[in-house]
Amino acid sequence: MPTAVTPVRQLQPHAVHELTEAAHTLLSSAGPREDDLDWSRLIPRVPLAAASLSADVRHACRPVDTAAGLFVVRGIPVDDEAIGPTPRHWSSAGRAGALYDVVLLLLSTVMGTPIAWEGQQDGRFVHNIVPSPGHEAEQTGASSTVLLSPHTEDAFHPGRAHLLVLGCLRNHDAVATTAASVREVRLDAADIALLSEPVLPILPDDAYAEAQSYTGTPPAVPTLWHAPDGLTLRYDPAYTPLDQGTAEHRAAYARLTEELTRVSTAVSLTPGDVLVVDNDLVVHGRVPFRARYDGTDRWLKRASVRVPDRPGRPAAERHEHGYGQAAVEAYA
């Protein structure tokens, strides 16, 4: 898999300073609890802090502007010793890396509205993505030994994020995130037309145990469609029952998969990097690696962002049940 040149937006020292100072100020408002942040006190203060950030920070958070469908914001310092050991499970992170939770929230708020899921990581707006014992072979962020298949984030849900934001705290082994943009594939018109029909559902992934038990009929959804600015996709082959489709549909889906593989690139994040992925253009995954569970493993923070009034998704999505899952907007 090639390692392409990823668009990088370098934050200058003064922008980094104002961003981290704003995060420190917000942290001081989150109460004296030692085990975790008091998010109920912190979250309402984020929009005003984000609105006060300079034009330089806002320029770094401008919309995706290349066919690659992603960019990296770079320049935020991470003290490897101060953040402590990589947690063995998201639920044991507590306040570890809390400053970067808030930095990610600020950047996400400049770009749109952060969302949380009631059924994932206790409804947090920033997730800890770490390898966890017993989850090595799953198709979730807690896995390690298997390829995390390229997918649209939360593809099963009509309220999925427009932007996926991944902040790197630790990555000593240079474990790569994979990314492939539908704007860079080559498909003929017949395949695009076929994959634009709602033929198969996308089922909830293993991170949503409650959604997997939902008894409603899974809605068929299109894999591709044309937005005003170009081709977009909703794709998660690991949770799409492809065997229920026609031979013609499976063949077209396979050709799309081959094309996404052809244009896929490896993005190896370094501490302080923030990867922003347009979730309507880009499928992402992760290469396999061997977790040590010794406190030095890869550690990412993840936020999901909706962009208000963004056009381009099929109108039929408004009628989907979302498998009973509710996405909560940070500032609703």
Side-chain angles (χ1 to χ4, degrees), residues 70-88:
L70 52 77
F71 59 85
V72 169
V73 176
R74 180 164 290 163
I76 301 166
V78 175
D79 186 327
D80 189 70
E81 183 176 350
I83 62 175
T86 300
R88 289 164 62 92

Side-chain angles (χ1 to χ4, degrees), residues 185-276:
V185 305
R186 294 195 296 260
L187 288 174
D188 63 32
D191 279 347
I192 292 174
L194 183 57
L195 294 172
S196 297
E197 294 296 321
V199 174
L200 297 173
I202 300 176
L203 305 175
D205 64 57
D206 289 339
Y208 294 91
E210 193 174 297
Q212 289 182 331
S213 63
Y214 189 76
T215 57
T217 302
V221 300
T223 303
L224 301 176
W225 65 92
H226 285 282
D229 59 346
L231 194 63
T232 54
L233 86 169
R234 184 178 180 181
Y235 175 91
D236 195 347
Y239 294 95
T240 299
L242 293 167
D243 58 333
Q244 297 177 14
T246 65
E248 184 182 25
H249 185 271
R250 289 197 302 272
Y253 200 99
R255 286 188 286 271
L256 170 62
T257 298
E258 290 169 1
E259 276 296 292
L260 289 169
T261 301
R262 181 182 67 81
V263 303
S264 182
T265 62
V267 183
S268 186
L269 298 174
T270 58
D273 283 351
V274 177
L275 174 64
V276 180

Side-chain angles (χ1 to χ4, degrees), residues 143-226:
S143 69
S144 52
T145 60
V146 295
L147 174 74
L148 183 59
S149 300
H151 61 284
T152 300
E153 186 74 0
D154 300 319
F156 74 96
H157 202 282
R160 64 195 178 280
H162 293 107
L163 303 174
L164 174 69
V165 184
L166 297 172
C168 178
L169 293 192
R170 180 173 288 134
N171 193 13
H172 295 327
D173 303 307
V175 178
T177 299
T178 64
S181 172
V182 72
R183 299 280 170 90
E184 296 182 328
V185 305
R186 294 195 296 260
L187 288 174
D188 63 32
D191 279 347
I192 292 174
L194 183 57
L195 294 172
S196 297
E197 294 296 321
V199 174
L200 297 173
I202 300 176
L203 305 175
D205 64 57
D206 289 339
Y208 294 91
E210 193 174 297
Q212 289 182 331
S213 63
Y214 189 76
T215 57
T217 302
V221 300
T223 303
L224 301 176
W225 65 92
H226 285 282

